[in-house]
Amino acid sequence: MAARVRFRRSAYSAVVKGKVASSGTLGLLVSLAAWFERMARTHDRGRRQRPRRVLSQRFERTRSRAMPQNRRRQNDPTARRIGVDWGTTHVRAWLLGAGGRVLDVRRDDRGMGRIAGDEAAFGAVYDTLVADWPDVPALACGMVGARQGWIEAPYVEVPTALIGLASRAVTVTSPKGRRLAILPGICQREPADVMRGEETKLVGLALEAPDVASSGFALLPGTHSKHAALEEGCVVHFRSVPTGELFDVLGQHSLLRFSLERDGAYDAIAFDDAVLEGATLRAGELTAALFNLRARSLLEAFSPAAARGRLSGLLIGAELALLDRERPIALVGSGGMIEPISRAFRVLGRPAPRVFDGDALVRRALAHLAALLEGADI
Amino acid sequence: MAARVRFRRSAYSAVVKGKVASSGTLGLLVSLAAWFERMARTHDRGRRQRPRRVLSQRFERTRSRAMPQNRRRQNDPTARRIGVDWGTTHVRAWLLGAGGRVLDVRRDDRGMGRIAGDEAAFGAVYDTLVADWPDVPALACGMVGARQGWIEAPYVEVPTALIGLASRAVTVTSPKGRRLAILPGICQREPADVMRGEETKLVGLALEAPDVASSGFALLPGTHSKHAALEEGCVVHFRSVPTGELFDVLGQHSLLRFSLERDGAYDAIAFDDAVLEGATLRAGELTAALFNLRARSLLEAFSPAAARGRLSGLLIGAELALLDRERPIALVGSGGMIEPISRAFRVLGRPAPRVFDGDALVRRALAHLAALLEGADI
C-alpha cells in the first residue's frame, strides 16, 4: 500500500510541478500513461469498495446536516483541506477531513456576479466564510477566477490533462492572511468556448469513474450545459449549450412569461412530446415553436404547466440531439436537473446515462487537487 | 366607371354584410370569384397608374411632415376617414382624405401593453388623439382588439378572405361619443398561431399588389415576423417567427448583453457569415451558437458591433431558411427592418423580394375598409 501511494504521488507531482505542457511533449505522454494506469487501478478498487463508499456518503450527509453552522472548528485536528466553489450567483465552502469527508459547510449569496471586480469584497466574504475554520490548504474553483473575479486565473486551452489543472492555480492572500489557490477554467479556440467550474467536476468524475475519463463523454446540464469529450484523462473537446439560461430568460422576459407556470410544476406529457419535437427541429423552427407555444395558450386549453413542460422539452430535446448517439454518457448534475434529463433520454430511446452527483464530484476534486498542490498525502 | 364602382360595392357588400362564412359555403365561392375578378382588374389599373401612385405617396409624406400637430381640423371638409393602428407599444391615428391621402397624424405611446384591460383609459386616449378632428368614420386595427384591449374583436380563422375582415369588426363608443370600429385578428388552429395588426397590412398588400394576393407569399419581418401564404385573396396559412423579440430579449437579458453593441451599429461581414450559418443550423446548434458568440467576445478580438451583426444574422438566417425557395415573396416592412432582410436574401442567393412600405399599406387598408363599413364611395 505504501508503494502504491508513493507511485501515485510521483506520477501526480510530475504533472503538478508543471512539467506537463498542455500538449505535444514527451512528458505529457509519460505522465498520461502513468495517470491512465493509475485510473485503471482506482477503477478496480472503486468497484470493490462501492458499497462502503455509498454508505459513507450517506453518513457524511447526515453529519453535515446535523452540524450547527456556528460551531467553532478552529482547532479541529481532523480538518485537512478547505474546498470552495465560487460561482456567479453564490459561493459554498467545505471543510474537508481525510478522504474528502465533509466536516462543515458554509454558504453565501455573494457570488461573483454581485461583487464583480471588487477585490476587497472577495477577501472579506472569504474571511467571513472560513473565520472559525483551521487554516488548512484551501482551493477554489469557478467564476472567482474570472477576469471580474478575485484574481484572474487564465484559461487553460484544450486538449488539457484534467489533473494538470492544479499546476495552473493562482494564489491570493485574504485580508486576514489566509491563502487560497484558485483553479483556472478551460477554453477552446475553434469553435470558441469556455468553462469555469465545470472542469473541476470533470476532475472529480475522472477520480470517480476513470473509465469515463479514459474514453467517454460527460454531460453537465445546467444554465450553460457542457458537453465534454474525454480521452486518456484529458478534455479534448467541449461545447456549451445555454439551455438553462434560455429557459429562464424566455420564461421571464419574452412573450412566454404570460403562458408559463411560475412554481416550477410541469406537465410530463407536454414535456415528452416536446423532447421528440425539439430533437428534430431546424433552428428557425425552434424560434417559430416558441411563438406557437404562446398561441396555444391563447387558443387552446393549454395549461401553464403544459407550457412549462413544452418549453423545457423543446430546449432539452434540441440540446440532446447534439450528442453522439453511440457514445456512452456520464450525466453529472445535482437535484432538479437530473430527472428531466434522464426522462428525455428515455423518451428519445437512448441508453440511460450513468448519473453522478455534481456537488460530490466538486468536493472530491477540490480535496484531491488541494492535496496535490501541497504535496501532502491525498 | 360608374358601373365598375357599383360592381365593386356590391361584391364587397356581400362580404361585408356577413354572408360569407370563414369557409365552405357557396356564398364564399361566389364572393371569392367576384373578389378575384375585381383584383385582376385593379391589378391592370394599378400597373397603368403606378408612376402616379409613387408621386402621390411622396407628396403625402411631405405634407404629413409639414403639418403642425396642433392645427385644428375639426371642420376640414376634405377629411373622409380616421384610421388607427393601435399596437402593444404605441398608437398612431391618421386623418385621411379622398383616396387615403394623409391629412394629419397623431401618435401616443400608450399602447395596449401600458393600459391593458383598462377600458376607460382606451377611451380617454382615443378622445385625446382625435379631439380636433371631424367625426368621420373611424376604423382601428391591432392589439386594441385583443382580450386585454378596449374590446375583444375575436379572431377570424384561416382560411379567410382578407376583405371580409371588415364584416367582423366590433364597434365601441368613446366617452365623448365617437364611434370606432375595431378589426379582428386572424388565428390558425394547426399549428396554433395568431396575428393582430399584420392582417391589415395584408389587406393593404392585396389592394396594392393583387397578383401577390391571388397567389403569393408575404413576409412581414418584425418583433413577431409573419410568413403568410395568400391564395385568391385569402390568407390560407401563416407562421409567426419571433425573431425580433428573441434578438431583443437575448441582447438585453442573456449573457449576450455583455457582448453586444448597444447603439445598433452592426458589422456587415459578421452578419453575412451568420446568415449563411443560421440558415443551416439545427435547433440545438443555434442555442450553442449563442454561447459561442459570448465565448468569441471573451477569447477573440470580436467587437460588440460584430457580435450584434452575428446575433442578428444567425436569427434572420434561421428564419429565412423556413421560406419556400421557389415562391416569389413580397417583403412588407418599415424603416430599419428592410435593409438587413434584403441583404440576407442576397447573401442566401435568393431573388430579391418586392418591397412594400408597411405603414402605407395599413393606411390604405384602413381607409378602404372604413369606407366598406359605411357603404360609402371608396
Side-chain angles (χ1 to χ4, degrees), chain B residues 2-186:
Chain B
R4 182 184 284 164
V5 171
R6 204 168 323 118
F7 165 74
R8 280 158 59 202
R9 283 172 61 189
S10 64
Y12 283 137
S13 63
V15 182
V16 171
K17 287 174 184 157
K19 288 183 192 156
V20 179
S22 62
S23 68
T25 66
L26 182 63
L28 173 69
L29 295 174
V30 171
S31 300
L32 281 180
W35 161 232
F36 185 50
E37 187 185 350
R38 195 233 144 213
M39 282 199 304
R41 290 187 203 179
T42 316
H43 184 207
D44 290 338
R45 207 172 61 245
R47 270 194 194 160
R48 286 195 304 274
Q49 295 181 351
R50 192 158 298 156
R52 198 160 69 85
R53 184 176 56 71
V54 171
L55 277 177
S56 83
Q57 273 187 345
R58 278 201 197 138
F59 174 69
E60 282 162 25
R61 269 193 221 118
T62 317
R63 200 183 155 87
S64 164
R65 239 184 268 126
M67 191 79 64
Q69 287 283 313
N70 56 358
R71 175 169 163 190
R72 296 208 154 252
R73 307 207 56 130
Q74 262 167 341
N75 302 315
D76 189 334
T78 65
R80 301 277 294 275
R81 328 266 175 230
I82 291 170
V84 184
D85 184 357
W86 205 325
T88 302
T89 58
H90 62 266
V91 49
R92 279 173 306 174
W94 297 279
L95 183 63
L96 303 168
R101 198 159 58 86
V102 176
L103 304 177
D104 202 358
V105 61
R106 294 283 183 274
R107 198 189 149 95
D108 197 291
D109 60 0
R110 280 169 287 181
M112 187 280 277
R114 271 186 59 187
I115 52 175
D118 184 348
E119 199 183 318
F122 279 102
V125 170
Y126 185 65
D127 276 333
T128 309
L129 275 177
V130 301
D132 52 4
W133 286 355
D135 191 4
V136 291
L139 181 65
C141 68
M143 296 304 285
V144 65
R147 203 167 298 166
Q148 294 295 303
W150 191 342
I151 189 174
E152 186 174 6
Y155 293 113
V156 179
E157 200 170 328
V158 293
T160 186
L162 282 165
I163 213 71
L165 290 172
S167 70
R168 305 294 191 94
V170 172
T171 302
V172 287
T173 305
S174 79
K176 296 208 169 157
R178 299 260 199 170
R179 288 177 66 241
L180 175 68
I182 299 176
L183 287 170
I186 296 181

Side-chain angles (χ1 to χ4, degrees), chain A residues 192 242 245 255 281 283 287 291-292, chain B residues 192-193 242 245 255 281 283 287 292:
Chain A
E245 177 164 20
L255 77 168
L281 293 181
T287 315
F291 193 91
N292 165 261
Chain B
D193 215 323
E245 176 162 23
L255 77 168
L281 293 179
T287 315
N292 164 260

